[in-house]
Amino acid sequence: MEPSRARDPRLVAAQLKAWALEAGFDRAGIATLEPLAHGEAFVRWLERGEHAGMAYLERRVEARLQPATVLDGARSVLCVALRYAPLEGEEEPTGDLWPRVARYARGRDYHALMESRLDAVAARVAAAYPDARTRRYVDTGPVLERELAARAGIGVVGKNTMLLDREMGSWFLLGELFTTIELAPDEPLAELCGSCTLCLDACPTGALVEPFHLDSNRCISYWTIEHRGAFTDDAAAMIGDWVFGCDVCQEVCPWNRRRHALPAADHPELGLPAERRELDLADLLALDRDEYVERFRGSSMKRARLQGLRRNAATVMGNRGEPLHAAALAQAANDEDPVVRDAASRALERLGARAEPLPVD
């Protein structure tokens, strides 16, 4: 084995990035692990309560600000990106019945997919450098991944707080492999937004209160994915026709709409599978536990849980205002789940209809 002191950080960095691309990632870069430059802004964001009900973000704050602490002896981090749109042959589902879902969540759970690929890279690192240790993260643990990825040259934070790249736009997911090996870092990218404010102007709820500043209390993604329990009237109105997540600020971004886009991403696992392509709003509202487990096995949408998906479906029906949804909502307004019952009853009120009580045996 080559002594660690004799390793060339540039050559080893190039090797790990090549392994990441061979594992199936679309981009890879190296970042150093000094304290995060925007750590104080993150703390102030928490203090203002703009993380809404995501109390887990308040845990291990010091580790989030000091990335070197997530792995004893860590010296570098390999950051990776996986494009999830546009996909080869993907057709955008349309119509009044289809549940509107953020693109990243339509196919296989990206956590499992990216973790398996990072594990493949980690195995190669272990074989080549037995004295090294690694730890991987994919949207988990105390890691502020966008700042690390920006430091690694994967992208630059845009005004909508998403990471943005000239070639990939913002349709990509992030993962990290921390290591005790010293690696030569990549150069950060230059700012890309300029004077553009299309994302701020298009945000339907005003969650983007100013450039680079997101208030989760007004974010559709927060309410449809992270929030547990019933909606307030304001929250119900805010989610519009989104059943899971929201892509509006990405859809309007010029870097995602440019004429000369990259070829389609080659990750069919992230495409919408047949078992969910056939699932309309009424089907989603009527899901029972067994069908939910079967249809959403291995899906990121399970993050919202069965109750949340059914609540969201009922709310969207009311927001769309289509009378054709009245019968499904009337049945759900007598549901045994109080959260679903509440959402369906409110939706019926917006349709100007009412639920008939179920007959008593």
Side-chain angles (χ1 to χ4, degrees):
M1 182 189 69
E2 179 187 10
S4 60
R5 64 177 178 275
R7 296 175 188 150
D8 185 329
R10 293 171 299 176
L11 294 178
V12 182
Q15 184 179 49
L16 265 64
K17 287 187 287 185
W19 288 346
L21 299 180
E22 291 171 10
F25 293 107
D26 295 299
R27 190 68 61 79
I30 305 297
T32 54
L33 295 176
E34 65 266 18
L36 297 187
H38 298 98
E40 291 185 5
F42 175 71
V43 172
R44 291 195 299 271
W45 183 75
L46 292 175
E47 291 173 345
R48 291 194 298 267
E50 291 180 337
H51 57 310
M54 295 177 286
Y56 58 84
L57 291 174
E58 302 171 14
R59 299 193 290 268
R60 301 185 68 186
V61 171
E62 190 62 29
R64 297 180 193 276
L65 306 185
Q66 306 277 349
T69 63
V70 303
L71 171 66
D72 188 31
R75 305 184 71 179
S76 308
V77 58
L78 170 69
C79 297
V80 296
L82 189 75
R83 292 178 60 217
Y84 62 88
L87 296 173
E88 184 69 41
E90 182 181 45
E91 295 181 4
E92 187 73 10
T94 59
D96 292 335
L97 301 180
W98 193 77
R100 200 170 185 202
V101 173
R103 289 188 182 188
Y104 80 86
R106 294 178 185 177
R108 177 180 169 188
D109 187 348
Y110 68 92
H111 297 88
L113 178 63
M114 296 183 71
E115 285 169 358
S116 66
R117 295 183 180 186
L118 281 173
D119 285 342
V121 178
R124 296 183 75 169
V125 172
Y129 307 105
D131 63 324
R133 286 175 289 110
T134 60
R135 177 171 295 169
R136 58 133 166 90
Y137 288 96
V138 178
D139 194 25
T140 54
V143 178
L144 296 179
E145 58 184 7
R146 291 179 192 174
E147 183 160 345
L148 288 177
R151 186 182 290 179
I154 298 291
V156 62
V157 176
K159 291 180 181 178
N160 62 356
T161 75
M162 304 293 291
L163 211 63
L164 189 61
D165 174 72
R166 285 181 178 274
E167 295 181 336
M168 297 188 293
S170 60
W171 302 118
F172 58 92
L173 303 157
L174 298 173
E176 301 79 38
L177 186 70
F178 288 80
T179 179
T180 55
I181 303 174
E182 181 182 0
L183 303 171
D186 287 284
E187 290 293 326
L189 301 180
E191 192 268 339
L192 292 176
C193 291
S195 61
C196 178
T197 60
L198 286 176
C199 58
L200 278 72
D201 300 337
C203 179
T205 63
L208 294 169
V209 295
E210 61 184 6
F212 315 107
H213 182 173
L214 172 72
D215 183 355
S216 299
N217 293 288
R218 299 195 62 81
C219 181
I220 293 171
S221 289
Y222 164 72
W223 285 105
T224 57
I225 300 173
E226 300 289 343
H227 178 70
R228 307 294 177 229
F231 284 147
T232 63
D233 288 338
D234 286 344
M238 275 193 288
I239 74 166
D241 61 353
W242 288 94
V243 166
F244 187 96
C246 177
D247 283 336
V248 171
C249 68
Q250 297 190 85
E251 291 172 343
V252 301
C253 178
W255 293 105
N256 286 332
R257 297 169 62 90
R258 65 200 184 286
R259 182 177 300 175
H260 302 295
L262 280 180
D266 185 24
H267 306 296
E269 304 95 331
L270 299 177
L272 184 64
E275 64 268 20
R276 290 201 293 281
R277 181 174 290 276
E278 300 169 355
L279 191 66
D280 64 23
L281 282 169
D283 292 332
L284 187 58
L285 178 57
L287 279 181
D288 61 26
R289 174 64 56 179
D290 290 342
E291 190 174 15
Y292 162 76
V293 170
E294 179 62 28
R295 285 184 181 259
F296 290 92
R297 180 177 288 112
S299 167
S300 298
M301 290 180 66
K302 291 185 73 174
R303 175 71 177 177
R305 304 179 183 176
L306 174 59
Q307 181 188 78
L309 291 175
R310 297 183 66 210
R311 171 203 64 197
N312 297 349
T315 303
V316 167
M317 287 177 172
N319 290 345
R320 288 187 176 179
E322 293 288 344
L324 59 87
H325 296 308
L329 287 169
Q331 182 168 348
N334 291 292
D335 198 87
E336 63 181 14
D337 187 318
V339 171
V340 175
R341 192 165 63 240
D342 173 79
S345 297
R346 293 182 187 216
L348 279 172
E349 290 177 3
R350 292 195 292 278
L351 291 183
R354 65 185 181 87
E356 295 296 337
L358 291 178
V360 178
D361 292 335

